[in-house]
Amino acid sequence: MTITVDYIHQLKKATLEALAVCDAINNETQTISELNTLLPQKGDNKLLLKAEKIFISDFIFVFSKVKTLSEKAQFGLAYYYDAIRNQHFADEKELENLNKLVATNTFKSHFNKIIQDNILFDLAKSKTYLLNYLKQNKHPKFKEVNEAFTTFLNLVCDFDVQKNQNTNDVLGIDFKIHSAIEIEDDSLEKVLEELNGLIGLENVKKDVAELVNLLKVQQKKNLTRS
């Protein structure tokens, strides 16, 4: 496996974007407080965790679901950890040393320690807590965080979300529900059209069509009142 300058640049861009989202979320006291109440921390002395810590734990969870053990993937996850947790970015001028490092037992031990020290919850029972919270609360940062996980999967795990049908399982979240909730006014017909294109589900199609019509009537009433 060869780490390239281009790969380092992509990792730096992705982690800087993730850090910017973390800064924004950390500045929202209510969001951080509510998010922490959802976290299954053990004991009575629960810590108030910042977005960076939760983000890293969520990335580790996703990484474990893909079950990618390549040296490139391990380096990518280690880079994410060092950039987001410590705001330290690997120097592209050290490519030769980096490529030697990832093959050593020292790096493998360091990688295992990152996993053990930064996964906040039992992997078997965990999920992407940050992503789930933002989705359920229709938070404006949901789209950016969703894109951050998509980039992580593509860049680090070599997992194409467009080609894999188990993306929802990997991320521990159902994006179809989110899409249905967040549909724009002008996309109602499009959603109904896509549903009608599916085979069967006649009762579901009927119920959704009635709901769409009801929403349209309600929207017209609201416009008339305003």
Side-chain angles (χ1 to χ4, degrees):
M1 190 279 299
T2 302
I3 301 169
T4 65
V5 172
D6 182 59
Y7 188 56
I8 293 290
H9 286 172
Q10 291 181 66
L11 288 171
K12 185 173 184 179
K13 180 177 182 294
T15 50
L16 282 172
E17 290 172 351
L19 277 169
V21 174
C22 287
D23 286 340
I25 293 174
N26 285 332
N27 286 328
E28 299 178 10
T29 305
Q30 181 177 346
T31 296
I32 286 295
S33 178
E34 291 179 351
L35 182 56
N36 271 266
T37 61
L38 300 176
L39 306 179
Q41 295 188 63
K42 298 179 180 179
D44 297 327
N45 299 320
K46 294 184 177 181
L47 300 174
L48 186 64
L49 302 177
K50 297 177 67 176
E52 290 89 341
K53 186 72 173 176
I54 303 169
F55 226 145
I56 291 170
S57 182
D58 283 356
F59 280 134
I60 293 173
F61 166 75
V62 169
F63 186 91
S64 72
K65 294 287 284 185
V66 178
K67 302 185 184 307
T68 303
L69 299 176
S70 69
E71 290 181 350
K72 178 183 177 182
Q74 292 177 6
F75 173 79
L77 180 58
Y79 186 103
Y80 262 74
Y81 163 77
D82 212 18
I84 295 175
R85 193 81 175 92
N86 304 317
Q87 297 192 24
H88 175 266
F89 304 89
D91 190 348
E92 63 186 60
K93 297 178 182 178
E94 297 293 328
L95 283 182
E96 184 177 352
N97 291 331
L98 289 173
N99 278 290
K100 292 179 180 178
L101 176 65
V102 295
T104 65
N105 289 329
T106 300
F107 173 78
K108 289 177 172 57
S109 296
H110 175 63
F111 175 81
N112 289 332
K113 183 172 175 56
I114 289 175
I115 298 293
Q116 293 169 5
D117 292 351
N118 291 278
I119 184 65
L120 298 176
F121 325 108
D122 183 353
L123 280 174
K125 301 177 182 178
S126 191
K127 59 182 178 181
T128 48
Y129 285 93
L130 180 59
L131 200 58
N132 272 276
Y133 169 83
L134 298 178
K135 168 191 168 286
Q136 291 168 3
N137 289 275
K138 303 179 184 179
H139 194 283
K141 288 295 179 182
F142 171 80
K143 184 177 180 181
E144 290 180 56
V145 173
N146 181 17
E147 290 174 351
F149 277 98
T150 298
T151 299
F152 175 81
L153 282 168
N154 287 328
L155 193 58
V156 174
C157 304
D158 195 25
F159 181 97
D160 191 337
V161 299
Q162 303 297 328
K163 296 180 180 179
N164 286 276
Q165 297 181 349
N166 64 327
T167 300
N168 290 350
D169 179 58
V170 168
L171 291 172
I173 193 169
D174 187 353
F175 288 101
K176 292 181 180 178
I177 294 176
H178 174 81
S179 298
I181 294 174
E182 291 295 314
I183 52 177
E184 298 292 337
D185 295 346
D186 61 353
S187 66
L188 288 171
E189 293 294 347
K190 185 182 296 183
V191 172
L192 188 56
E193 181 180 344
E194 291 176 355
L195 179 61
N196 287 331
L198 299 176
I199 299 175
L201 304 174
E202 298 305 327
N203 290 335
V204 175
K205 292 175 182 177
K206 180 181 178 182
D207 289 341
V208 172
E210 291 176 352
L211 177 59
V212 168
N213 289 331
L214 180 62
L215 287 172
K216 287 180 178 179
V217 171
Q218 188 62 46
Q219 288 167 354
K220 289 179 180 179
K221 288 182 178 178
N222 291 336
L223 288 173
T224 302
R225 291 172 183 172
S226 60

